[in-house]
Amino acid sequence: MDDFLAARSQMALSLGFHIIYACIGMVMPFFMAVSHYKWIKSKDDRYRQLTKAWSKGVAIFFATGAVSGTMLSFELGLLWPEFMKHAGPIFGMPFSLEGTAFFIEAIALGFYLYGWNRFNPWFHWFTGVVVGVSGLASGILVVSANAWMNSPAGFDFDNGTYSNIDPIAAMFNDAWLFQSIHMTLAAIAATGFAVAGVHAFMILKKKNVDFHTRAFKIAASFGTIAALLQPISGDLSAKDIAVRQPAKLAAMEAHFHTSEKAPLIIGGIPNEETETIDYAIELPGMLSFLAHGDFDQEVTGLDKFAKEDRPPVLVTHFAFQIMVGIGMFMMLLAVIFFLSYWKKQWLDRRWFVKLFALATPLGFIAVEAGWTVTEVGRQPWIIHNVMRTADAVTPMPGIAYSFYIFTAIYLSLTVVVIFLLNRQIKMVPLLYDQPEDKSNH
Amino acid sequence: MAYVVIAYLWLSILLYLILGGADFGAGIIELLTSAKNRIRTRKTLYHAIGPIWEANHMWLIIAIVILFVGFPVIYSEMSTYLHIPLVIMLVGIIARGTAFVFRHYDAIKDDMQWLYNRIFLLSSFVTPFFLGIIAASTISGRIQPDASDFQTAYVFSWFNLFSISVGLFTVSICGFLASVFLIGEADDEADRKRFVNKAIRMNIAAIVCGIIVFIVAEIDKIPLRHWVFGEPLGLIAVQAATVSLAVLWYFIYRGKNMLPRIMAGFQVTMILFAVSYAHFPDFIRLHGGRSLSLLELQAPPKTMEALGWALIIGSVFILPALFYLYYSFQRHEER
């Protein structure tokens, strides 16, 4: 494996795993806090048990998220020293703030996990909320650093020198707001659907139905609200990218030739050699409308960019299709979930529960796909139109070996985390079962 | 503002060394505990570090962020030429953190515990060992950016006797810090006695390793002796550390818990001070006498300004919360 490819693969792998741990670690505390709130208010012991069960999940995901995040802060330099040498002082501001947010999160989690029966109940609850809020803040800050790579700001670039550096302007670059909103909603939707899905599985198995139904409702409420809002945020992001990164939009849509009344391409297999797309459904004028709000407007195609400045079309297009397709499906599920407020009997129907059980991994597949769109779609640049990824890579040879090591580590970590969660869930009947609801099954 | 940022960098390295070090040390102590007491030790250890261990390791992240935002050239050079030990240290950090959480949160306690323990104990040793290697390599003058072959550029930059001896010294310091810390967490007199014995052995180990470091430095022609004893302030720091060691043992035998901890922290502070003061503002010494200076290679003024304020404001939030965390979960009864 060549070193550049190995470095890219290792970075993709590390971020690909971290994004899952981080999303769950920043969203699940909110589920936990809601359940905790219900317990304090209602004194219904099932909510206390649910809160405790979820807090264990939070602890596992926070720890894996924290170590994989620590690793990433080193990997930036280990793999891309040339990038960090120049970019560090410009886009580092959100990272230094994120350090604080992350620290607060770790402190609050210490209070929360070990604070049962030690503190005033509301103080204890509050530390749980702080875990969620600081986790969310960390997420937004890190995304704003990534947004800077898409939309560089806060410096003048002239003949390879970076001058006039303003880290605050870099942090509030043009892309940060829409990208943060999109990522935050994605995290909530993905985690909400994943947690709801796991509990739906348990309901299907008729195990502790009462316990799992309560859990399902809280998680699904978060997930479905985010899934309903996400298409709006996606539309804002697309319009933003059409202006800032036309090459990325063109690759997402496999839009090879600049044209007016540009069609929206659904599915299909793009061919980068012949610059055509096969087997696609084309909706005339829709791309012009979605990108610029006008059916007749010209949309820049890949032909406006030199071959060496184009992102890989196949991967970007597929990833985008997957993300949008899943997003639409999740929105549909969200509508069904809200209809169940009127049609209460749906909650007990197997098809309804099954639908959510099947949707467990979907949100995270969409998160990975969306992240692929933004990262692969930015190539060949590491800093859009400023520095090429190939120029940023470490001079050290043999990165392939480090890639193999990290692949092994991440795979085994994932196996162990799944194994642990499985055991936690298996133990629910013993740890959290209530004598009175044993009669239910 | 550069001095504010450098002060925070130094402080986060120091706190990582003391707090993170005691945390690694707890694993080393468990490793060195005989099988019949190990479960007891594990329980004490869990109660002692459970609520605070995540926070202890945040100092490393703060230090590395200060380095890459404020001193990007130093960060890049370090990441490039110390790539291999950094990767090993990272693997250690990952393995240790996850194993610690997994062994506690695995709902079923069975044979898997054996595996978690093995990983936790092994990585508790490997991680500080490589941290010491990395720290030693930054000042040993073995990094050669213009080297043409792989070994000289990426292996011998850190793989040498001096770095390895500092690695062992770091491990013994971690063990010492942890045993002094655990004395105050012991459940009864017998446990306390066991931890005092551990502390004695770790103290001897640290002194022996320290002497080896000086001997190796002489052989490798690293002016360590001059750094530590040549500067009046450095000399005072070393003397203060020596005196505080005596005070520490006096307090341990008087049955105090908090004062020995403070003394142990003070010693580490003095050692780090003596070494870093001697070659300030240089952060990395390269082969051939060149060095990378914190003052010369700092980021542009606006970045330093923003970073400095971010750190000051951040610590207003972090420090009180952290003190309250330690305060809440320490044992209140002084025995």
Side-chain angles (χ1 to χ4, degrees), chain A residues 56 59-60 62-64 66-67 70-71 73-74 76-78 81 84-85 88-89 92-93 95-97 99-100 102-104 106-107 110-111 113-115 118-119 123 165-168 394-397 399 405-406 409 413 416-417 419-420 423-424 427, chain B residues 46 50-51 53-55 58-62 64-65 68-69 72-73 75-77 79-80 83-84 86-87 89-91 93-94 97-98 101-102 105-108 110 112 116 150 154 299-300 302-303 306-307 310 314 317-318 321-322 324-325 328-329:
Chain A
K56 288 180 184 170
I60 293 170
F62 179 80
T64 38
V67 289
T70 306
M71 219 182 83
S73 63
F74 279 93
L76 284 171
L78 291 173
M84 289 309 287
K85 200 181 274 183
M93 200 55 206
F95 285 114
S96 45
L97 296 174
T100 302
F102 200 22
F103 213 134
I104 300 278
I107 295 172
F111 275 117
L113 290 177
Y114 295 83
R118 258 176 192 266
F119 301 109
F123 174 77
I165 287 168
D166 180 353
I168 307 291
T394 179
M396 192 181 105
I399 296 296
I405 294 174
F406 282 105
I409 291 175
L413 260 185
V416 180
V417 168
F419 171 81
L420 277 182
R423 300 236 268 199
Q424 283 287 350
M427 292 301 279
Chain B
Y46 178 74
W53 78 273
E54 296 266 23
M58 290 294 152
W59 294 111
L60 177 67
I61 298 184
I62 303 284
I64 207 71
V65 167
F68 81 56
V69 179
V73 176
Y75 171 78
S76 312
E77 295 288 310
S79 314
T80 306
H83 189 118
I84 296 169
L86 279 168
V87 166
M89 180 196 80
L90 286 174
V91 173
I93 288 178
I94 296 178
T98 46
V101 173
F102 291 171
Y105 284 105
D106 195 336
I108 303 167
D110 58 9
M112 282 298 283
Y116 302 144
F150 183 86
Y154 302 107
K302 268 199 168 171
T303 303
L307 177 59
F317 286 98
I318 292 170
L322 194 60
Y324 189 55
L325 182 74
S328 302
F329 289 100

Side-chain angles (χ1 to χ4, degrees), chain A residues 215-230:
Chain A
F216 173 82
K217 278 188 189 163
I218 295 174
S221 303
F222 275 92
T224 49
I225 291 172
L228 283 178
L229 295 174
Q230 189 66 309

Side-chain angles (χ1 to χ4, degrees), chain B residues 285-304:
Chain B
R285 291 177 67 247
L286 299 172
H287 184 74
R290 222 155 51 82
S291 47
L292 305 178
S293 148
L294 288 170
L295 290 175
E296 281 167 27
L297 294 171
Q298 56 174 296
K302 268 199 168 171
T303 303
M304 294 304 270

